[in-house]
Amino acid sequence: MTLQHVGKSVPRVDAVKKATGEACFVADITLPRMLRAKVVRAGIPHGKILSIDTSAAEAMPGVKKVVTGQGCSMLFGTCLWDQPPLAVDKVRHAGEAVAVVLAETENQAEAAAKAVKAEYEKLPFVLDPVEAAAPGAPLIHEKNGSYRRVEYSVHPVPGTNIFHHYKLRKGESEKGFADADVTVEGEFEFPISSQAPIEPHGAICRFSADGSMEIWASNQAPFVLRDVLADMFTIPASKVRVHIPYLGGGFGGKSDVSIEPLVAYAASFVPGYAVKLVLTRKEVFTSALVGRGMKGRMKIGAKKDGTFTALKAEMYFADGAYGDTGWPVDTVAGHNCTGPYEFPHVTVDVYGTYTNSPIVGAYRGYGHPEGQLMSGRLIDRLARKLGMTPGEIMRKNFLSEGRQNALGQVIKKSHGDLPGCLAAVEKALDETPLPKNDDRFLYGRGIASMMKSPKMAANAASTCTVQVNADGSAFVNLSGIEMGQGVQTVFAQMAAEALQIPMEKVKSYPDVDTQFSPWEWQTVASMQTYRGGRAIQDACGQIIDIARETAAKVWNCSPSLVAYRNGECVHPNTGETLSLGRLARGFMAPDGLTIGAPLGATGWYRVPGIVEPDPETGMGNAAGSWTFGSQGCTLRVDRQTGEVKILHFASAFDVGKAVNPATARGQVTGGVVQGMGAALMEKILFTDDGVAKNVNFPAYKIPRLKDAPEKQTVVLLETPNPEGPWSAKPMAEHPIVAVAPVILNALRDATGVEFTTLPVTPDIILEALGAKEAR
Amino acid sequence: MPVLNFTVNGVPRTVHLEEGRVMLSSVLRDSLGLTGTKVGCGTGQCGSCTVVLNGRAVTSCTTPAEKCEGADVLTIEALAEGGVLHPIQQAFVDAGAIQCGFCTPGLIMRLYALLTVNPDATDDILAEEINKHLCRCTGYEAILAAARLARERMKK
Ligand code: FES
Ligand code: FES
């Protein structure tokens, strides 16, 4: 059957509401009896709390309560319970909360927050992850190693700042390097950066006298949040209700938990009142979650013909003051730092370290951009050493049918067509010849390939409920969060396809409510189209089965003989039909007698067979899907100003099936620009005193229209993939993964300089060009 | 309590202002419930809070409320009165320029201020105006396409 909805660029179902300002975000919500919260932040990176004087603040107009961490014994987490909702006896980063003022208005709360006086004994601090891991570094958590944790997954080194050491040992890399004709190696840095969704984080929490609580939050993980809060307050999860409205961008920075435990803790002191906190932009930088923060080195060995023999890598992550959101990123960075290539021997050590900086969590790409910056750059270097093109090296080593990734998983054809992606990018770039350098500009071209295989909890699943109404329309509910990526639209497309009904008849509700919405692990890892789509197929399949059973009863035949077409059951002989609407509440005869079950079903999907990596080798079936791609660009460097203009950026991903080609393109164009920001502009800087300093726009620069590439080409390949719904695969984070190595490879081509540290700003380029000329 | 008298979306309004620093964005959002105007940075950098004040696009997060006495303010809520989208809104929908949508109302209001006065704005002028806004989702390609489409449709 030809597809009616899947594969079509239908307009987004949420676009009209967003164009009119009607779409509701957390900051737009007002509840009765609502207090506004303002947080007092540490302001120093590391110190013992000597005293906190709240008396002046408490006496100020409108102030209801000032909450501090005094006496708080709660620690929250999902796999590593190391964080209190606000600082208790010491502060571990400058943005940490030490007190929360609750007042009637925001201005009152802000004024009173200024009147809170905290005294500290300053402690030595550490920001650099390599220094943090070294002996003698100031110890940030004395209890590292004794915190409650999931022992199979999180591997701390007690007595140090290393709260997670992930090691991967495939084969014997010593032997692999002995076999190599040539090696390349380098040191790299991917600094701490902000996901910078334009909507700041917010939450509203209300405790009731009956012991239940409700929270409205800008959060990608409502059920994780629910379980974390239930665990923290030791109440049943059924008494915690989480509501998620539209999110104004997430990019990982709103996943797991960030500010919600703080807001909930404060609200627990004023039951009956709602407590609302919306972060300032500055706080988004200092006190929500940030991303990346990697320093690493990598070495690759190869034969003369370009065949890889071994890879060795070490990565240190400045994961900030607390580790629960950082450790899985570290593990995934290790899994995937090889890029989409086969290496017979791999040794990787990743160290997640506590540092006195903002907390690192998920950021689009989740460890992949950090590791693949290194492999992507080194392949470019290797190519020159061997007198080959980077493309030739890639083609020799691409993961393809029967080859084994670093985890020991065997790749299938359905996992994707890397040579096809690379060819598409080369073709797009070759359409315009590379301009010749002149007095003003240097031109260069760079290319890299990528893979992404998401890290999931082994039990991660999506569920979907479908309910058919008497007019034949259907509610399709999942708990995939709409944060801009377009899940609501693809859900509706896929449900309409599965039920064979018009899209106008399908309504997928954007607001998630953990009391009523079907369970979902969380909206991360680009899994909603893929995993949610399979859950939709399951639920819709059940609906059709129920309808056919009822129709068979009506027609007194076997259900297997009843066909289903275009929203109707069809009689095997007469061609008579019964629509979904007629069967929605069972079939009712003219006298009212009704038979058959109402048309409602719950479907689910879990990527099968996922396990946590083996603690010794780091290998195992820890990844359940792959998406491959290649990217490349042509750029221009201004010799006078050091400014970089990307003239053409080309991307090709094997997405299995583009459910909505227009929104898929939007994911790519947006991801490329976000990745370009990381490559050329973005980095959180710290003062000598250890305080983050460029914590607002424009001090922290993210790309504007004029910074964006002049042209983008997006090619979506569709290799059939029986694991995906209608073949579809994850693709939303992927466009960011290879952008930095692509741009740095192109900069090398243009300038001859090997850049290895992000971001490569105009100043750095000018300095490098000057140094080259001086030589 | 200081009082502000002004016109919002064609309706005369009187708002009592809290003591201290009160910005137009919070009057619109908190006092008048016009939450279509978004606040992304509070410092005039992202453009999410853009409204039209006496015919000009301004960032309402940096516009002190008391400066708006007697002013005429238009917000995103005014554009689709009666449920029919303004051509700029429709162009954003049709060109796929909306992802999370947090930047959208501000962009639409700035283009409204521009295109109602200068329907022949060149591509460079469109780019200049869009460049005053931050969007983290789209990569801007579709936003520029929406602005061009809106310009074309508004001429008809
Ligand atoms: S919120 Fe006003 S410009 Fe950003
Ligand atoms: S659509 Fe999300 S910020 Fe522009």
Side-chain angles (χ1 to χ4, degrees):
Chain A
M1 213 184 112
T2 56
L3 297 175
Q4 301 298 313
H5 308 289
V6 165
K8 304 249 154 55
S9 290
V10 302
R12 291 177 63 115
V13 297
D14 53 349
V16 169
K17 278 193 179 178
K18 288 174 174 178
T20 58
E22 208 187 317
C24 180
F25 299 82
V26 72
D28 304 338
I29 298 172
T30 302
L31 296 180
R33 253 184 139 197
M34 190 168 85
L35 301 171
R36 303 297 298 242
K38 188 73 197 171
V39 183
V40 181
R41 307 277 174 192
I44 59 163
H46 199 191
K48 260 197 206 119
I49 299 174
L50 299 177
S51 64
I52 305 175
D53 182 359
T54 60
S55 51
E58 265 155 9
M60 287 179 63
V63 174
K64 170 85 184 156
K65 178 91 195 160
V66 182
V67 177
T68 69
Q70 211 177 23
C72 174
S73 58
M74 293 172 179
L75 293 174
F76 68 88
T78 60
C79 290
L80 172 62
W81 284 257
D82 65 356
Q83 187 177 0
L86 73 177
V88 179
D89 43 11
K90 70 186 238 179
V91 294
R92 296 183 171 91
H93 74 111
E96 186 160 12
V98 293
V100 188
V101 177
L102 308 179
E104 276 160 31
T105 73
E106 226 177 326
N107 276 3
Q108 289 169 337
E110 193 173 340
K114 290 194 182 115
V116 173
K117 295 274 167 281
E119 286 186 337
Y120 306 96
E121 177 194 327
K122 285 189 184 175
L123 295 170
F125 66 92
V126 60
L127 300 172
D128 181 282
V130 179
E131 287 171 22
L139 209 54
I140 297 171
H141 285 263
E142 295 73 11
K143 289 195 186 145
N144 182 28
S146 59
Y147 288 123
R148 173 180 162 208
R149 71 179 200 274
V150 175
E151 290 185 14
Y152 201 83
S153 308
V154 187
H155 311 296
V157 183
T160 74
N161 288 316
I162 300 167
F163 66 87
H164 181 52
H165 175 197
Y166 167 71
K167 51 181 184 191
L168 175 58
R169 302 285 183 269
K170 178 191 179 191
E172 297 163 54
S173 57
E174 290 317 311
K175 193 175 159 302
F177 282 113
D179 288 346
D181 296 319
V182 21
T183 60
V184 281
E185 59 189 303
E187 294 193 3
F188 299 87
E189 191 177 338
F190 208 134
I192 297 176
S193 12
S194 174
Q195 297 86 342
I198 305 302
E199 178 207 26
H201 301 57
I204 308 170
C205 186
R206 180 173 61 196
F207 275 76
S208 162
D210 69 5
S212 65
M213 67 182 287
E214 267 182 289
I215 187 165
W216 288 254
S218 58
N219 185 294
Q220 300 171 223
F223 291 92
V224 173
L225 173 59
R226 179 193 65 178
D227 294 350
V228 164
L229 293 174
D231 173 69
M232 187 176 144
F233 291 99
T234 54
I235 55 178
S238 56
K239 289 204 165 176
V240 181
R241 185 168 169 197
V242 177
H243 305 261
I244 313 286
Y246 280 114
L247 257 60
F251 313 112
K254 293 172 182 167
S255 67
D256 292 307
V257 291
S258 57
I259 63 164
E260 298 86 356
L262 170 68
V263 179
Y265 187 69
S268 70
F269 287 86
V270 287
Y273 287 87
V275 169
K276 179 174 184 176
L277 175 69
V278 177
L279 296 189
T280 62
R281 175 56 51 182
K282 179 179 173 191
E283 289 175 307
V284 174
F285 283 100
T286 61
S287 311
L289 293 173
V290 294
R292 321 293 187 212
M294 190 275 304
K295 270 192 166 181
R297 58 174 79 97
M298 182 179 275
K299 180 176 165 186
I300 289 177
K303 303 295 268 184
K304 272 201 208 75
D305 70 352
T307 307
F308 293 153
T309 61
L311 177 145
K312 189 171 194 300
E314 257 178 29
M315 283 179 259
Y316 291 83
F317 278 85
D319 277 326
Y322 300 97
D324 188 44
T325 47
W327 77 266
V329 183
D330 306 341
T331 295
V332 174
H335 289 174
N336 291 283
C337 67
T338 59
Y341 310 102
E342 186 178 59
F343 287 88
H345 304 282
V346 180
T347 297
V348 179
D349 287 278
V350 188
Y351 301 95
T353 69
Y354 288 128
T355 46
N356 296 110
S357 43
I359 304 165
V360 165
Y363 181 2
R364 193 177 199 166
Y366 208 78
H368 295 68
E370 295 91 315
Q372 293 180 45
L373 167 66
M374 302 197 286
S375 46
R377 285 293 288 113
L378 287 178
I379 288 167
D380 184 75
R381 210 177 286 176
L382 181 67
R384 266 166 305 121
K385 222 167 171 176
L386 289 172
M388 300 169 74
T389 66
E392 284 168 329
I393 306 239
M394 291 181 204
R395 285 190 172 86
K396 269 233 137 58
N397 298 286
F398 270 148
L399 286 174
S400 58
E401 189 169 11
R403 282 188 158 178
Q404 230 194 36
N405 70 0
L407 298 180
Q409 296 170 295
V410 178
I411 298 301
K412 299 186 217 162
K413 184 156 191 262
S414 60
H415 290 152
D417 177 9
L418 278 158
C421 291
L422 181 56
V425 168
E426 287 171 340
K427 178 164 171 270
L429 295 181
D430 284 347
E431 269 161 22
T432 323
L434 187 66
K436 292 261 168 302
N437 292 346
D438 54 34
D439 287 351
R440 171 113 191 255
F441 296 117
L442 301 168
Y443 295 87
R445 186 170 283 179
I447 204 157
S449 295
M450 58 71 66
M451 72 160 173
K452 185 166 188 297
S453 62
K455 169 99 181 91
M456 302 170 269
N459 64 356
S462 295
T463 56
C464 163
T465 57
V466 176
Q467 197 189 318
V468 178
N469 303 310
D471 63 354
S473 66
F475 292 128
V476 177
N477 288 322
L478 294 95
S479 295
I481 303 299
E482 179 56 72
M483 51 189 171
Q485 81 282 48
V487 275
Q488 290 300 317
T489 308
V490 299
F491 286 164
Q493 286 179 267
M494 293 192 293
E497 192 70 56
L499 292 172
Q500 303 177 40
I501 61 178
M503 247 188 92
E504 306 81 72
K505 288 197 168 181
V506 176
K507 178 71 182 165
S508 172
Y509 210 62
D511 308 43
V512 170
D513 173 341
T514 55
Q515 177 83 38
F516 298 109
S517 304
W519 180 72
E520 157 67 47
W521 176 49
Q522 50 178 320
T523 305
V524 296
S526 309
M527 293 297 282
Q528 290 300 321
T529 301
Y530 177 77
R531 195 176 56 216
R534 288 289 302 261
I536 290 171
Q537 286 184 319
D538 181 23
C540 293
Q542 293 179 43
I543 293 282
I544 293 169
D545 286 346
I546 301 170
R548 289 168 64 220
E549 260 170 52
T550 307
K553 279 185 197 142
V554 176
W555 293 326
N556 208 4
C557 67
S558 151
S560 62
L561 296 176
V562 176
Y564 180 82
R565 270 200 303 271
N566 301 326
E568 294 178 327
C569 293
V570 186
H571 190 284
N573 305 321
T574 66
E576 191 186 334
T577 60
L578 280 172
S579 68
L580 281 187
R582 275 296 294 284
L583 300 170
R585 292 162 189 175
F587 177 82
M588 186 163 79
D591 65 357
L593 185 69
T594 303
I595 53 168
L599 295 182
T602 302
W604 65 277
Y605 187 69
R606 178 187 309 123
V607 179
I610 302 292
V611 295
E612 284 293 325
D614 179 84
E616 279 315 304
T617 64
M619 294 172 69
N621 198 39
S625 77
W626 288 266
T627 307
F628 296 134
S630 298
Q631 294 179 295
C633 82
T634 303
L635 56 71
R636 181 181 84 189
V637 180
D638 187 322
R639 293 172 188 253
Q640 260 88 57
T641 64
E643 267 157 34
V644 175
K645 182 76 202 170
I646 295 174
L647 304 173
H648 185 190
F649 201 104
S651 305
F653 297 99
D654 190 341
V655 299
K657 177 81 192 168
V659 176
N660 186 321
T663 57
R665 183 185 170 93
Q667 287 303 299
V668 179
T669 55
V672 165
V673 171
Q674 198 170 24
M676 199 205 84
L680 298 174
M681 305 161 84
E682 301 182 31
K683 174 183 187 172
I684 295 182
L685 301 163
F686 293 86
T687 65
D688 292 345
D689 296 328
V691 179
K693 64 175 178 187
N694 55 335
V695 286
N696 213 327
F697 308 130
Y700 185 97
K701 254 180 106 179
I702 68 171
R704 291 179 184 270
L705 170 67
K706 289 189 178 177
D707 302 308
E710 273 179 8
K711 175 180 165 191
Q712 288 205 44
T713 297
V714 178
V715 181
L716 303 173
L717 283 75
E718 299 188 332
T719 298
N721 167 37
E723 289 158 18
W726 295 279
S727 238
K729 284 185 180 179
M731 61 80 55
E733 294 166 272
H734 307 64
I736 210 171
V737 173
V739 177
V742 162
I743 292 177
L744 268 57
N745 289 347
L747 283 174
R748 199 274 313 149
D749 190 38
T751 65
V753 181
E754 297 277 4
F755 295 103
T756 54
T757 296
L758 304 184
V760 186
T761 58
D763 286 355
I764 292 170
I765 292 177
L766 281 184
E767 202 185 308
L769 290 178
K772 238 185 84 188
E773 260 154 43
R775 255 188 272 131
Chain B
M1 245 188 200
V3 170
L4 168 66
N5 292 292
F6 67 152
T7 304
V8 181
N9 300 338
V11 181
R13 297 284 201 167
T14 300
V15 176
H16 295 270
L17 300 179
E18 200 185 336
E19 298 295 335
R21 225 172 70 115
V22 179
M23 293 298 165
L24 175 59
S25 54
S26 75
V27 172
L28 295 171
R29 290 178 49 82
D30 301 335
S31 310
L32 299 175
L34 296 169
T35 53
T37 299
K38 305 299 174 196
V39 176
C41 70
T43 52
Q45 292 298 321
C46 73
S48 323
C49 64
T50 302
V51 299
V52 178
L53 175 79
N54 296 331
R56 291 189 44 226
V58 299
T59 51
S60 60
C61 74
T62 53
T63 305
E66 77 262 15
K67 293 259 168 70
C68 300
E69 183 63 32
D72 191 10
V73 174
L74 277 187
T75 71
I76 189 73
E77 284 86 355
L79 262 57
E81 272 292 353
V84 181
L85 298 196
H86 186 276
I88 303 174
Q89 293 173 309
Q90 193 61 50
F92 269 67
V93 173
D94 295 344
I98 301 173
Q99 289 191 20
C100 80
F102 201 79
C103 67
T104 310
L107 276 158
I108 290 175
M109 293 316 288
R110 185 171 306 273
L111 290 169
Y112 179 89
L114 173 69
L115 293 173
T116 47
V117 173
N118 182 4
D120 296 311
T122 60
D123 280 2
D124 280 353
I125 296 176
L126 292 179
E128 204 60 55
E129 293 299 294
I130 294 170
N131 208 57
K132 295 172 181 163
H133 292 248
L134 292 174
C135 171
R136 192 60 152 172
C137 301
T138 62
Y140 303 103
E141 179 187 272
I143 293 175
L144 188 57
R148 289 186 181 134
L149 185 61
R151 178 183 59 192
E152 200 180 297
R153 288 179 178 172
M154 283 171 73
K155 273 195 215 156
K156 285 193 186 137

